[in-house]
Amino acid sequence: MLIIGNWKMNGSAESLTTFFKTFQESSDAEVQIAVAPPYPYLPSLKAHGASIFMAAQDCSTHAGSGAFTGEVSAQMLADVGCTYVIVGHSERRQYFHETDQTVLTKTQNVLSAGMVPVICIGETLEQRKAGQTQDVLAHQLKLMIQHIAKEARVVIAYEPVWAIGTGLTPENAEIQEGCNFIARTLSDFSDVTVLYGGSVNGDNASEIFGNDAVQGALVGGASLKPHEFQRIIDSAKRRTNFDVNAVS
Ligand code: PGA
């Protein structure tokens, strides 16, 4: 499983140190842990947890380097040791007007720089109520299907927009259905991991991970609280133990 903490525009040099005094989990063969702090804190993340993978929250649509004041390219993120880059988060789509084309360009940049894109997709509440969830997901995946090599390693985070930061989560069956739909839609791709994101916390993680279509989580608010994030990781580790036992 893969658990990624998205700190969004939160944290400070001090809070990062405090976080890692309490947060003692490490990645293992079954559960990989990644944290996406704001850009300036990426290097300190590396200093803190050798087994915590570095993730970035975004990257530029421009590749390499150039006269683009304020931008950070995918190559620079790879250079400082990032493994994952989140692209197309609904907050970027909503507040910064990112389109599916923007998300595709960023995805291509991340892949070219040798990292793994974490592509966020999901429906709004209105779209869900109108029964359009699968159409929306299919539409958000369309450019990717057309333009990304089928061998590329990609992570898709199914994040219903209405579940982000609201404390609301879909029914388990809806999570399973959304993640399964994504896996089916991308069945030609050889290396896809499907995460669920949206109000995952220490209390609901076990239940969410009970869906076998869910291969991990993208965690916002709860990833800022070390104990809470730890509980989510513990739930993921219990699920993988369960899987191992179930198979043997
Ligand atoms: P949340 O955020 O866990 O605070 O709902 C999830 C996300 O934005 O990825």
Side-chain angles (χ1 to χ4, degrees):
M1 294 188 91
L2 170 64
I3 311 294
I4 305 178
N6 172 13
W7 286 4
K8 309 192 179 183
M9 200 174 75
N10 292 295
S12 62
E14 195 189 339
S15 71
L16 198 125
T17 306
T18 316
F19 181 91
F20 281 104
K21 273 193 188 133
T22 310
F23 184 77
Q24 298 293 347
E25 293 285 353
S26 46
S27 297
D28 60 27
E30 307 293 338
V31 178
Q32 232 183 61
I33 306 165
V35 172
Y39 292 139
Y41 305 124
L42 282 167
S44 358
L45 186 72
K46 190 147 111 193
H48 278 288
S51 83
I52 307 292
F53 288 81
M54 266 164 78
Q57 298 175 17
D58 188 29
C59 70
S60 178
T61 52
H62 299 283
S65 48
F68 302 105
T69 303
E71 291 289 273
V72 174
S73 73
Q75 281 81 357
M76 292 167 181
L77 296 170
D79 191 33
V80 297
C82 281
T83 302
Y84 298 98
V85 181
I86 300 169
V87 291
H89 190 280
S90 70
E91 286 151 16
R92 301 234 35 111
R93 293 178 191 259
Q94 189 182 345
Y95 304 136
F96 303 95
H97 315 294
E98 293 196 0
T99 62
D100 289 338
Q101 179 57 55
T102 317
V103 178
L104 173 68
T105 306
K106 290 184 176 188
T107 301
Q108 290 169 322
N109 289 352
V110 172
L111 288 168
S112 304
M115 297 176 292
V116 181
V118 179
I119 305 161
C120 302
I121 59 174
E123 81 287 358
T124 63
L125 194 54
E126 292 68 36
Q127 289 165 333
R128 171 164 285 276
K129 283 183 178 158
Q132 296 167 346
T133 299
Q134 295 196 347
D135 291 344
V136 171
L137 298 180
H139 194 265
Q140 288 176 323
L141 291 171
K142 195 168 158 207
L143 286 179
M144 174 192 156
I145 292 170
Q146 289 168 349
H147 298 283
I148 300 295
K150 304 289 182 279
E151 305 71 41
R153 181 173 171 215
V154 291
V155 176
I156 309 291
Y158 171 45
E159 299 210 302
V161 177
W162 52 275
I164 296 175
T166 57
L168 301 171
T169 52
E171 300 291 329
N172 260 326
E174 294 170 331
I175 293 178
Q176 178 85 349
E177 202 174 275
C179 291
N180 265 329
F181 177 78
I182 292 166
R184 273 203 312 278
T185 307
L186 298 180
S187 58
D188 286 349
F189 283 74
S190 54
D191 196 352
V192 181
T193 303
V194 183
L195 311 181
Y196 167 77
S199 297
V200 177
N201 58 41
D203 291 333
N204 63 20
S206 289
E207 206 180 331
I208 291 170
F209 296 155
N211 295 301
D212 57 13
V214 176
Q215 296 169 290
L218 182 55
V219 184
S223 72
L224 290 164
K225 303 175 198 139
H227 284 299
E228 192 78 7
F229 197 41
Q230 198 139 4
R231 286 177 67 207
I232 295 169
I233 309 288
D234 288 346
S235 298
K237 291 195 170 170
R238 273 200 301 278
R239 138 102 177 248
T240 55
N241 286 337
F242 177 76
D243 285 350
V244 168
N245 292 337
V247 169
S248 60

